[in-house]
Amino acid sequence: MNWGIILFICFSVGVCAYASQDVQVFDLMPYPADIEVQRGKFLLDDSFRISVTGNPHERGYRAATRMLRQLSARTGLFFTQDFIRPGQLEHAAAMQVHVVLPGKVALHQDESYTLTIRPKSVTLTADTDIGALRGFETLLQLLKVNSSGYYFPCVTIQDKPRFPWRGLLIDVCRHFMPSEVIKRNLDGMAAVKMNVLHLHLSEDQGFRIECKTYPKLHEMGSDGLYYTHAQIKEIIAYADDRGIRVVPEFDIPGHTTSWFAGYPDLASAPGPYEISRGWGIHEAVMDPTREQTYAFLDGFFNEMCALFPDEYMHIGGDEANYIHWKKNRTIRRFMEANDIRDFHELQAYFNRRVNQILSYYGKKMMGWDEILHPELPKSILIQSWRGKEAMIQCAKDSVYTILSNGYYIDLIHPADIHYLNDPSPADVKLTEEQRKFILGGETTMWAEFVTPETIDSRIWPRTAAIAERFWSPESVKDVHDMYSRLEAITLQLEELGLTHEKNRGMMLRRLICSREIHPLEVLVDVLEPVKGYQRGALREYTSYSPMTRMVDIARPDASVARKFRWNVKAFLEVNLEPGTAQMIEEQMSVWKENHSELTALIRQIPALDEIKPHAEHLFICAQIGLEALNKIRKGDPVKKKWKKNHLKTLKKMHDPHGQTELMIVSAIKQLVDGVPER
Ligand code: ACM
């Protein structure tokens, strides 16, 4: 990161939220609630040891050991301390951790901590080991290096989350995600202090968990791709060790094709049913009028409620398609007989019955905002995804709620869009009491267009910015500062085995069957997958389509393109700064000079044919941009027509190719616009 540019931009647009010293020194994410900076450093060397005292749950010792190993890995220091275990008090250890009580991984757990770093000591105190875990992550992020060694800057941090529910949903149905994918993402979540993994476990495309009561669910609904009970228990234990709850979702009554592959009698229309290979809203829907449906669900939830320890069970409830209800005469008769006026009311009847089952097994019911209905008890929790209205309504009605609208990372929007989306927006009129019902938010990783190979690159690093929105004070919202810290955090996330950075090289090498990926990297650095729901509209995909092309290698929020856009903006808005001009020029020259090698490569590789127009456009953009920059620098005015022609040429370069977009066209247009006119 070029700090000159960052500070230059911050200064120029006047939006830096913190003292610049903090911004430069601390790559913390989420940023703590309170940080006081002191003079001095704690120098880390081989003698570093940790002592854990008080009364933590065992996970506190395991987390301390993990942190020690991570520090050792990052620094190459040979610490002498082995596993940290209860009863091994070390009064002389430089790091003293004190935990008052064992934590419980549950909603409203105490996650606060105080971290004090002085030249000779590091002290972490927390009411629970879960708070201590959050503090360990902060300490890891504080590690710095210079030529004299590794050190922690002297600070006092008092920290606690703004929201108690900070979640990530992973859809393991559209594409199955093996346990190791889940575990490495749990590590990533812990690193940025997230505390709920929402596993979306059943869908039209797959039923992803072993069901002992009704084995045809996983046997006929999963293509053999499902978690066994043992694997689920392992995931839950792994999450618990990191202070993360696991909330399972079984999406009913819609999104249920895979259930009906084995149990067609649950459906509202006759079978047979097969696992779906395509995306979108399907017609399959459970029959809410038959007692056998509830008997089945009773047996099913009996098993699942025992397997998952969390107090919440998510029943989905989104996008139930009413076509089969409408066509089914028995269902319509049932509605008449029971004075059920419409299908939404019929779904509310279904939800009430399911809620009774879940209550019996000691669970609270959670669902997408479609399930909101006055006849449901206030004990439910609503996940607001179609907008914020349901969330606001819930807050007013004293119903717990979380926000997912605005956190759909599968839609490939840049991090700042999500970052500035507040779960409890100040401009919405709610009392403090009402706001307490907004528990937080969840980012959603729907898996139509990701595989185990690419999923991390869609989740990270953007989710770290969202994690900050859920944890840090509302006032922490400077976008440039967020991006500069994200740059450091993305590398730290890599340490955990996440593949968001490293898989790119492998995927490029595979695509061109060669190590000589540089020309293609130059292009993919400025490409992004198309946004929103365009990808599926531009080309037909199934669950077995390849996810290995340029659109999969291109990452959301392409940082090279973003920095180029910022530099152009800064250059044009702030006195045409010469250093910035040089950076812009160098970047465009790279694009221009790369062109012949890139086109030679594209000619060789059929799979690259679809992005050939982008390669041409990047070359033209570079030529036009260099010409415009030169004219701006020289103050060399042009005729109106010059601009008009160039802008016309550039206009069509916004079009997607191979479901990717070229992300620097707007900046080139700005340069053209910035040339003085005669
Ligand atoms: C959803 O995105 N259908 C909850």
Side-chain angles (χ1 to χ4, degrees):
M1 167 55 57
N2 184 318
W3 284 110
I5 271 300
I6 284 299
L7 292 175
F8 168 65
I9 293 170
C10 287
F11 180 72
S12 63
V13 292
V15 287
C16 266
Y18 321 107
S20 58
Q21 189 196 8
D22 290 10
V23 175
Q24 285 185 65
V25 176
F26 305 121
D27 292 320
L28 293 171
M29 187 168 278
Y31 212 76
D34 189 70
I35 177 163
E36 231 180 75
V37 185
Q38 276 99 25
R39 277 181 182 282
K41 299 178 170 70
F42 174 96
L43 292 173
L44 198 65
D45 60 27
D46 291 344
S47 70
F48 182 73
R49 294 180 78 84
I50 304 176
S51 176
V52 181
T53 60
N55 190 20
H57 183 277
E58 277 198 17
R59 76 170 76 78
Y61 298 96
R62 287 193 289 270
T65 308
R66 275 201 308 276
M67 187 194 68
L68 192 66
R69 294 286 95 80
Q70 226 176 313
L71 283 176
S72 173
R74 222 190 266 173
T75 59
L77 288 169
F78 284 65
F79 299 138
T80 53
Q81 194 170 15
D82 194 347
F83 285 88
I84 302 167
R85 296 212 168 87
Q88 296 173 327
L89 306 189
E90 298 203 34
H91 297 297
M95 179 163 181
Q96 295 289 329
V97 181
H98 187 78
V99 174
V100 180
L101 286 171
K104 181 166 167 28
V105 179
L107 182 60
H108 292 301
Q109 58 197 313
D110 186 329
E111 299 174 271
S112 63
Y113 68 92
T114 301
L115 178 64
T116 311
I117 303 174
R118 296 288 178 268
K120 296 288 171 212
S121 66
V122 177
T123 313
L124 175 63
T125 55
D127 281 348
T128 71
D129 45 82
I130 296 163
L133 260 60
R134 309 301 178 231
F136 288 146
E137 299 298 345
T138 301
L139 186 65
L140 277 165
Q141 291 184 352
L142 280 170
L143 184 71
K144 291 261 161 205
V145 64
N146 64 21
S147 55
S148 40
Y150 290 91
Y151 66 91
F152 299 120
C154 287
V155 288
T156 303
I157 289 175
Q158 284 183 310
D159 202 8
K160 63 177 183 347
R162 180 171 167 220
F163 294 103
W165 192 304
R166 306 179 305 280
L168 165 65
L169 174 152
I170 301 186
D171 166 13
V172 296
C173 300
R174 272 50 178 257
H175 285 95
F176 182 61
M177 299 294 154
S179 296
E180 64 267 20
V181 177
I182 302 300
K183 285 184 184 171
R184 68 185 187 228
N185 277 286
L186 282 165
D187 282 319
M189 290 172 69
V192 293
K193 303 180 173 55
M194 296 180 91
N195 67 357
V196 181
L197 171 69
H198 173 161
L199 278 181
H200 184 79
L201 285 163
S202 69
E203 254 306 337
D204 296 302
Q205 297 81 5
F207 189 94
R208 302 297 183 197
I209 186 167
E210 174 188 22
C211 181
K212 293 183 200 264
T213 317
Y214 302 111
K216 281 193 276 181
L217 283 174
H218 66 273
E219 285 168 7
M220 298 183 69
S222 76
D223 303 300
L225 299 170
Y226 63 89
Y227 306 111
T228 62
H229 274 216
Q231 285 171 324
I232 281 290
K233 284 179 187 164
E234 204 178 305
I235 287 171
I236 292 168
Y238 196 88
D240 185 283
D241 241 17
R242 285 147 185 80
I244 298 173
R245 300 161 48 207
V246 177
V247 174
E249 177 186 350
F250 297 100
D251 202 348
I252 51 177
H255 288 275
T256 38
T257 309
S258 68
W259 299 60
F260 305 156
Y263 298 94
D265 289 350
L266 290 170
S268 303
Y273 287 83
E274 278 180 7
I275 301 170
S276 167
R277 306 299 180 197
W279 314 138
I281 300 175
H282 293 53
E283 292 185 356
V285 63
M286 280 185 184
D287 185 340
T289 65
R290 298 174 73 225
E291 281 309 306
Q292 293 93 317
T293 303
Y294 300 105
F296 184 100
L297 289 174
D298 186 278
F300 175 76
F301 282 120
N302 183 12
E303 179 178 335
M304 294 304 157
C305 290
L307 186 59
F308 290 91
D310 199 77
E311 67 178 310
Y312 282 96
M313 177 62 71
H314 201 306
I315 63 137
D318 59 318
E319 299 175 323
N321 189 327
Y322 297 145
I323 286 177
H324 288 184
W325 289 356
K326 206 185 256 176
K327 284 188 185 158
N328 184 319
R329 201 178 313 150
T330 318
I331 290 177
R332 289 204 315 270
R333 274 205 212 112
F334 178 91
M335 289 172 70
E336 273 164 35
N338 290 279
D339 204 18
I340 295 174
R341 281 161 301 181
D342 58 33
F343 295 121
H344 186 228
E345 213 173 292
L346 183 59
Q347 192 175 349
Y349 165 81
F350 173 80
N351 292 337
R352 266 202 325 276
R353 297 288 305 266
V354 174
N355 188 48
Q356 280 163 5
I357 295 170
L358 293 179
S359 299
Y360 180 78
Y361 294 115
K363 300 290 182 190
K364 291 182 181 150
M365 187 168 91
M366 169 174 181
W368 298 105
D369 57 41
E370 285 94 330
I371 76 162
L372 190 57
H373 195 278
E375 282 176 29
L376 283 174
K378 288 196 188 301
S379 59
I380 61 167
L381 191 152
I382 296 294
Q383 184 161 12
S384 209
W385 74 282
R386 291 178 300 173
K388 291 196 168 75
E389 294 77 11
M391 176 187 84
I392 295 163
Q393 190 59 48
C394 286
K396 288 181 177 162
D397 293 348
S398 309
V399 170
Y400 277 135
T401 180
I402 60 168
L403 184 67
S404 274
N405 177 259
Y407 303 122
Y408 268 46
I409 47 175
D410 59 313
L411 302 185
I412 316 287
H413 295 300
D416 58 347
I417 300 274
H418 304 302
Y419 186 65
L420 295 176
N421 181 49
D422 199 282
S424 183
D427 60 351
V428 171
K429 266 208 172 131
L430 289 172
T431 65
E432 275 315 300
E433 224 22 65
Q434 289 169 334
R435 284 188 192 273
K436 286 189 186 140
F437 286 91
I438 301 174
L439 294 175
E442 274 188 8
T443 178
T444 55
M445 184 65 253
W446 299 108
E448 282 89 343
F449 299 108
V450 289
T451 64
E453 197 168 88
T454 59
I455 188 167
D456 298 0
S457 73
R458 273 48 184 158
I459 299 177
W460 308 105
R462 291 177 301 156
T463 294
I466 301 172
E468 175 158 289
R469 179 58 44 240
F470 296 159
W471 176 283
S472 303
E474 193 188 351
S475 58
V476 179
K477 56 181 171 204
D478 180 78
V479 163
H480 284 99
D481 179 40
M482 175 276 285
Y483 272 121
S484 71
R485 288 179 288 122
L486 201 57
E487 195 106 340
I489 298 304
T490 191
L491 301 186
Q492 290 172 12
L493 288 165
E494 258 206 307
E495 283 174 36
L496 305 168
L498 289 163
T499 61
H500 56 296
E501 296 274 350
K502 73 176 180 195
N503 272 9
R504 193 177 91 142
M506 176 278 289
M507 293 176 79
L508 285 171
R509 287 189 288 277
R510 176 175 59 199
L511 196 63
I512 65 165
C513 308
S514 159
R515 285 182 187 279
E516 308 309 319
I517 59 174
H518 181 71
L520 206 49
E521 274 183 306
V522 171
L523 175 62
V524 81
D525 270 349
V526 291
L527 294 183
E528 287 178 12
V530 286
K531 317 288 181 294
Y533 295 99
Q534 284 186 76
R535 184 165 175 183
L538 288 168
R539 175 170 197 152
E540 186 146 343
Y541 280 92
T542 66
S543 52
Y544 47 85
S545 300
M547 301 277 158
T548 54
R549 298 174 306 124
M550 286 292 269
V551 58
D552 303 292
I553 303 170
R555 290 179 296 204
D557 214 345
S559 63
V560 171
R562 175 169 23 85
K563 284 176 206 165
F564 181 76
R565 293 194 303 268
W566 282 357
N567 283 340
V568 168
K569 189 166 187 291
F571 168 68
L572 292 172
E573 284 181 4
V574 193
N575 302 329
L576 313 182
E577 211 258 347
T580 318
Q582 196 181 331
M583 276 193 281
I584 300 168
E585 183 177 32
E586 280 169 10
Q587 180 63 77
M588 291 189 291
S589 304
V590 167
W591 294 333
K592 191 174 157 194
E593 282 151 28
N594 186 55
H595 187 61
S596 62
E597 271 189 74
L598 178 60
T599 44
L601 184 59
I602 290 173
R603 270 199 296 276
Q604 298 294 313
I605 307 291
L608 293 178
D609 206 48
E610 61 188 359
I611 49 89
K612 200 164 141 194
H614 284 323
E616 293 306 320
H617 294 165
L618 186 60
F619 180 60
I620 297 167
C621 277
Q623 283 179 317
I624 295 176
L626 284 165
E627 189 186 348
L629 180 66
N630 202 21
K631 288 185 183 299
I632 296 170
R633 274 165 149 176
K634 286 194 185 144
D636 178 10
V638 292
K639 283 194 184 149
K640 234 188 180 88
K641 197 152 178 241
W642 180 92
K643 280 194 183 182
K644 210 172 143 205
N645 285 346
H646 278 329
L647 291 175
K648 196 169 158 209
T649 307
L650 291 167
K651 197 165 174 221
K652 63 175 187 296
M653 297 185 186
H654 286 294
D655 292 348
H657 299 281
Q659 300 105 63
T660 62
E661 295 174 287
L662 186 59
M663 298 308 296
I664 47 87
V665 181
S666 60
I668 303 294
K669 276 184 174 171
Q670 283 167 7
L671 281 174
V672 169
D673 262 334
V675 179
E677 272 179 41
R678 265 186 213 152

